[in-house]
Amino acid sequence: MGSTGHSIGGTLAVALPLRLLAKGEAAPGAIVSISPWTDLTISNPKVDENEELDKMLSRNILEQFRAAWLQDPGVDFTDPNISIVNADLTGLPPTALHYGEYEALAGEGAGFGRRLADFKILSEVRPLPEGQHSFILGAGRVPEVDRAIEQMGQWLRQHLGS
């Protein structure tokens, strides 16, 4: 079994195995995380730098999503349970991380890729040149997206078997 998700689902695809591991339960055999939102502080400079390039996300939209998702005003946005960039990644299964270089969350993708390396998690980090948030929606219409999807499938087959 693998854990896969896109956008906030890309975050949950990592958060679920982390919570299972914390409970001493079995985690999925591999993860594919696409454009995850890893830092709910919204402090990465790429959020603002890529605002004109990313047609899906902006600081304002991220702030609205965060307010809708985390309605408790006392929530610490650095909490590793919600900002997985701060989480202890020990024991995380092999993880493939894909994100678009033009998306508001590109800096988070790169930063989370470094965290995977820091924790020596078997990982593959693939930024899609000129990709925006939700680039995966170009499947069947954009050859670069189709190649990225093929890479994701190869990753899962390699780590989960055919």
Side-chain angles (χ1 to χ4, degrees), residues 119-143:
F119 277 86
K120 297 180 179 20
I121 303 303
L122 179 61
S123 61
E124 180 176 273
V125 179
R126 292 189 178 259
L128 183 70
E130 300 182 14
Q132 298 181 29
H133 190 71
S134 295
F135 72 84
I136 199 80
L137 298 177
R141 296 181 301 280
V142 179

Side-chain angles (χ1 to χ4, degrees), residues 64-102:
Q64 289 176 35
F65 285 159
R66 181 177 66 186
W69 186 29
L70 304 170
Q71 297 178 8
D72 180 352
V75 170
D76 177 0
F77 298 134
T78 64
D79 183 329
N81 289 312
I82 58 171
S83 285
I84 60 172
V85 73
N86 300 323
D88 179 348
L89 304 179
T90 303
L92 198 66
T95 302
L97 172 63
H98 293 255
Y99 62 91
E101 288 182 341
Y102 281 8

Side-chain angles (χ1 to χ4, degrees), residues 3-146:
S3 180
T4 302
H6 151 251
S7 192
I8 195 63
T11 305
L12 296 174
V14 175
L16 172 63
L18 290 174
R19 289 191 182 171
L20 290 170
L21 289 167
K23 291 181 174 186
E25 297 180 26
I31 298 170
V32 173
S33 179
I34 307 160
S35 300
W37 187 7
T38 65
D39 182 0
L40 274 76
T41 66
I42 314 175
S43 60
N44 193 291
K46 284 288 185 189
V47 171
D48 297 317
E49 289 172 22
N50 284 352
E51 188 159 353
E52 295 299 316
L53 300 171
D54 191 337
K55 304 304 178 200
M56 298 289 287
L57 290 181
S58 65
R59 172 173 297 283
N60 184 46
I61 290 170
L62 287 169
E63 288 171 352
Q64 289 176 35
F65 285 159
R66 181 177 66 186
W69 186 29
L70 304 170
Q71 297 178 8
D72 180 352
V75 170
D76 177 0
F77 298 134
T78 64
D79 183 329
N81 289 312
I82 58 171
S83 285
I84 60 172
V85 73
N86 300 323
D88 179 348
L89 304 179
T90 303
L92 198 66
T95 302
L97 172 63
H98 293 255
Y99 62 91
E101 288 182 341
Y102 281 8
E103 70 175 280
L105 301 177
E108 293 188 26
F112 192 66
R114 287 188 296 275
R115 293 278 293 165
L116 290 167
D118 290 347
F119 277 86
K120 297 180 179 20
I121 303 303
L122 179 61
S123 61
E124 180 176 273
V125 179
R126 292 189 178 259
L128 183 70
E130 300 182 14
Q132 298 181 29
H133 190 71
S134 295
F135 72 84
I136 199 80
L137 298 177
R141 296 181 301 280
V142 179
E144 295 85 356
V145 173
D146 291 342

